[in-house]
Amino acid sequence: MSRRMIIAGNWKMNKPPSQAAEFIRQLVPLVADAEAEVVCCVPAIDIVPAVEAAKGSNIRIGAENMYFEEKGAYTGEIAPDMLVDAGVSHVILGHSERREYFAETDEMVNRKVKAAFAHGLIPIICCGETLKQREQGITIDWIRQQIKIAFQDITPEQAAAAVIAYEPIWAIGTGKVATSGQAQEVCHAIRQLMGELYGPEVAEQVRIQYGGSVAPANAAELFSQPDIDGGLVGGASLKPDFGQIVHWK
Ligand code: PEP
């Protein structure tokens, strides 16, 4: 079977609601005939206007984070059901910025992955090594550990529907993109691990993105690697460039 490519934007903490709607409207014609699945993951406050602006188009709206509890006294957090109610289809979980600045652990990511699936949301599960870890030669071991914990108690059906984003931390927002060989090596190792955990069918179905300074100039080379099924795009997803990345071929 062939996997459908998935290109997702991660707006991070950019664009107020008024600009969000305007930008989505600008993007609609630029990605209308895309072969790949197109997702824009936007700040929580942008979700409602972005969903409204994307109506009738092939752009799906995702969230950048969520909490794992159903509801209650968790000031400032957003529940899975709230995202679903607002029209969200995907949610980024375990982004390295959340791990670094908001103390998210692998165990929290696992709880969030379980909550996402319980509510019919597709998680985009992030993993990635620091430059120091790469230099120490422990990249694959580190990524395997992150993925093993993220997928604890996740069923094979759920695992097959998941999206994994391999994002080397040293390549995020730095303009220092991984070589296609480096990205392919790790994405292949992730697919191999999914095979060990769930068998060959799930390994064949799960989609694995590369993220880290993806731009129109490097997308084709990265996305043509056999184990890379698209990208998670930060900076370049804030500009019409995103349309070019979606048409990477
Ligand atoms: C990201 O934050 O997920 C990302 C990959 O950012 P950038 O494309 O800007 O490196």
Side-chain angles (χ1 to χ4, degrees):
M1 70 154 280
S2 69
R3 297 177 293 272
R4 188 171 180 211
M5 301 288 283
I6 174 165
I7 317 289
N10 173 16
W11 289 7
K12 311 193 186 196
M13 199 171 72
N14 293 293
K15 295 194 190 292
S18 57
Q19 285 177 24
E22 198 179 296
F23 182 69
I24 295 287
R25 281 194 291 270
Q26 195 184 345
L27 211 54
V28 166
L30 302 180
V31 304
D33 56 350
E35 274 176 40
E37 193 174 340
V38 181
V39 186
C40 290
C41 298
V42 306
I45 198 165
D46 292 349
I47 287 172
V48 170
V51 167
E52 187 59 34
K55 263 193 190 136
S57 80
N58 59 333
I59 300 176
R60 316 280 295 276
I61 301 300
E64 297 176 11
N65 179 36
M66 65 167 206
Y67 200 45
F68 45 73
E69 295 290 355
E70 298 284 313
K71 63 175 173 178
Y74 302 102
T75 302
E77 292 295 332
I78 295 182
D81 255 356
M82 296 175 181
L83 297 181
V84 173
D85 186 78
V88 161
S89 54
H90 296 68
V91 57
I92 298 174
L93 296 176
H95 191 280
S96 59
E97 287 152 15
R98 295 219 52 88
R99 294 177 191 256
E100 184 178 351
Y101 305 128
F102 303 97
E104 274 196 16
T105 63
D106 287 327
E107 288 70 23
M108 286 165 73
V109 174
N110 175 241
R111 291 184 75 172
K112 291 182 177 195
V113 172
K114 285 191 273 194
F117 279 123
H119 292 273
L121 291 160
I122 301 294
I124 299 175
I125 304 160
C126 300
C127 59
E129 82 286 3
T130 62
L131 187 56
K132 188 169 174 205
Q133 288 169 325
R134 175 158 284 273
E135 286 166 355
Q136 287 170 332
I138 60 168
T139 297
I140 304 286
D141 291 338
W142 176 256
I143 302 289
R144 281 177 64 92
Q145 174 172 310
Q146 287 187 316
I147 297 294
K148 275 187 191 171
I149 300 174
F151 280 83
Q152 245 158 35
D153 302 320
I154 297 303
T155 67
E157 294 71 29
Q158 292 171 334
V163 177
I164 299 171
Y166 166 55
E167 299 206 302
I169 295 169
W170 48 271
I172 296 179
T174 57
K176 211 171 152 186
V177 66
T179 65
S180 54
Q182 288 172 323
Q184 163 60 22
E185 183 194 14
V186 179
C187 292
H188 179 71
I190 294 170
R191 197 174 303 287
Q192 216 164 23
L193 172 61
M194 294 305 277
E196 288 168 31
L197 297 174
Y198 293 105
E201 273 181 36
V202 171
E204 189 54 35
Q205 286 172 50
V206 67
R207 290 182 294 175
I208 305 173
Q209 298 174 312
Y210 166 79
S213 298
V214 172
N218 58 35
E221 167 76 14
L222 288 161
F223 298 171
S224 58
Q225 300 303 307
D227 287 297
I228 300 181
D229 307 312
L232 183 55
V233 184
S237 74
L238 297 169
K239 299 175 274 186
D241 285 18
F242 190 60
Q244 291 176 51
I245 294 172
V246 162
H247 294 287
W248 55 277
K249 264 186 202 164

